[in-house]
C-alpha cells in the first residue's frame, strides 16, 4: 500500500486547490509535506503553509548537510528559483500517511528515496486552453503581474509533462479537472482511500 500521495499537474491545473481540499478531509487523515523554495512569496502566501520560503544561503546549507531529498531550479525572468524537499525529521512513514505536491521529477525522486511502492502518483489533467485562461486570470490579480514568467512556465510544462515522460515514469491514470472541481477532488479522495495504507495517528 502507498504511504505518500504525490499530486502532479501542469501549471493552473487546479492541483493546489485539490491538494488543500484533500488535506481538509478528516477521514483521509493526510499529513502535508511542505517543500522549500527560494522564490519570492506571492500575495496571500504564508511561510510554512504553501512553502518554507528561504534564501540561497539557507538552501546551500541544506545541500551541504545532505538533507535534500530532491531539488529543482528554474532560470526565470527574475533569476534562479529553487524548489526542494528536505529530510527535516517531519516524515514518519511508520505512523502517518502524507500528501505532497510537485512535478514529475519530484515524484521520481521520492520514488528513488522511499521506493516506488510507497508513492502514489496523482496526475491532474486539464486542456491547455483552459489552463491558459486560468493562468491569465490568476496573474492579473498579482500586484505586479509577470506575464513573461507565466508564458515560460506554460511552455515548459509541455516538455516537463510530455506523454513520453509520463509513460517512462509509469503514470497512465489521469484525474481530469475541467468541469466541477469537486468531482475531481472526490475521485482522488476515493482513490486514496482504496490504495493508501491506513494512518496509525
Amino acid at each position: 500500500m502507498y504511504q505518500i500521495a504525490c499530486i502532479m499537474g501542469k501549471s493552473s491545473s487546479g492541483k493546489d486547490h485539490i491538494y488543500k481540499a484533500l488535506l481538509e478531509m478528516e477521514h483521509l487523515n493526510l499529513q502535508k509535506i511542505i517543500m522549500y523554495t527560494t522564490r519570492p512569496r506571492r500575495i496571500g502566501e504564508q511561510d510554512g503553509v504553501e512553502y518554507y520560503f528561504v534564501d540561497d544561503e539557507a538552501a546551500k546549507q541544506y545541500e551541504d548537510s545532505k538533507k535534500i531529498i530532491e531539488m529543482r531550479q528554474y532560470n526565470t525572468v527574475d533569476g534562479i528559483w529553487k524548489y526542494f524537499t528536505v529530510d527535516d525529521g517531519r516524515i514518519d512513514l511508520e505512523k502517518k500517511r502524507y500528501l505532497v505536491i510537485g512535478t514529475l521529477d519530484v515524484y521520481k525522486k521520492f520514488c528513488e528515496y522511499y521506493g516506488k511502492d510507497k508513492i502514489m502518483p496523482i496526475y491532474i489533467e486539464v486542456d491547455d486552453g483552459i489552463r491558459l485562461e486560468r493562468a491569465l486570470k490568476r496573474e492579473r490579480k498579482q500586484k505586479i503581474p509577470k506575464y513573461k514568467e507565466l508564458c515560460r512556465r506554460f511552455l515548459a510544462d509541455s516538455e516537463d509533462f510530455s506523454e513520453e515522460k509520463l509513460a517512462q515514469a509509469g503514470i497512465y491514470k489521469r484525474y481530469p479537472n475541467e468541469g466541477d472541481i469537486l468531482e475531481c477532488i472526490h475521485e482522488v479522495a476515493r482513490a486514496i482511500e482504496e490504495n493508501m495504507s491506513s494512518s496509525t495517528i
Side-chain angles (χ1 to χ4, degrees):
M1 300 290 280
Y2 299 117
Q3 291 167 289
I4 299 176
C6 182
I7 294 184
M8 298 164 278
K10 297 175 181 177
S11 57
S12 300
S13 62
K15 59 185 181 294
D16 294 288
H17 188 139
I18 294 167
Y19 170 79
K20 291 175 182 177
L22 293 171
L23 286 173
E24 292 173 356
M25 292 184 173
E26 293 185 5
H27 70 285
L28 293 181
N29 198 21
L30 294 168
Q31 312 300 312
K32 60 182 176 181
I33 297 176
I34 303 173
M35 294 185 179
Y36 293 65
T37 184
T38 61
R39 77 154 169 78
R41 272 190 285 180
R42 293 174 181 155
I43 293 174
E45 290 183 328
Q46 300 177 59
D47 186 51
V49 178
E50 288 82 9
Y51 295 96
Y52 292 115
F53 294 93
V54 298
D55 57 20
D56 286 318
E57 183 179 348
K60 187 177 185 307
Q61 289 176 354
Y62 284 123
E63 286 186 87
D64 292 342
S65 61
K66 302 188 184 304
K67 291 185 177 181
I68 290 181
I69 297 172
E70 58 78 31
M71 174 182 278
R72 297 135 286 130
Q73 59 182 29
Y74 302 97
N75 188 11
T76 76
V77 295
D78 294 302
I80 295 176
W81 292 349
K82 295 178 180 178
Y83 294 80
F84 53 100
T85 309
V86 178
D87 186 357
D88 53 12
R90 294 183 173 94
I91 302 173
D92 184 353
L93 299 187
E94 295 296 320
K95 296 182 178 179
K96 301 177 183 179
R97 61 184 186 180
Y98 296 84
L99 185 66
V100 66
I101 185 170
T103 64
L104 185 58
D105 284 337
V106 169
Y107 168 71
K108 291 192 291 186
K109 289 292 186 181
F110 266 79
C111 287
E112 290 174 11
Y113 195 86
Y114 291 107
K116 196 168 185 177
D117 60 320
K118 299 289 194 300
I119 315 300
M120 177 181 177
I122 299 173
Y123 180 63
I124 309 300
E125 189 170 64
V126 177
D127 172 77
D128 283 346
I130 295 174
R131 286 197 308 110
L132 185 56
E133 290 175 358
R134 292 176 179 175
L136 282 168
K137 183 178 180 180
R138 182 176 68 180
E139 198 61 32
R140 288 190 182 108
K141 295 179 180 179
Q142 299 300 312
K143 186 175 182 179
I144 303 177
K146 298 179 180 179
Y147 297 114
K148 288 183 179 180
E149 174 58 17
L150 181 157
C151 292
R152 183 203 65 78
R153 289 186 62 194
F154 188 84
L155 294 173
D157 281 339
S158 296
E159 174 65 23
D160 294 342
F161 289 98
S162 68
E163 290 299 321
E164 181 181 4
K165 289 184 178 180
L166 287 169
Q168 287 174 349
I171 297 175
Y172 300 99
K173 171 67 178 175
R174 314 296 171 91
Y175 298 87
N177 179 31
E178 296 180 358
D180 185 351
I181 193 171
L182 289 178
E183 291 182 9
C184 182
I185 291 170
H186 290 307
E187 182 183 358
V188 173
R190 284 193 297 271
I192 288 174
E193 286 185 286
E194 293 171 1
N195 296 285
M196 290 189 72
S197 61
S198 299
S199 170
T200 59
I201 298 297

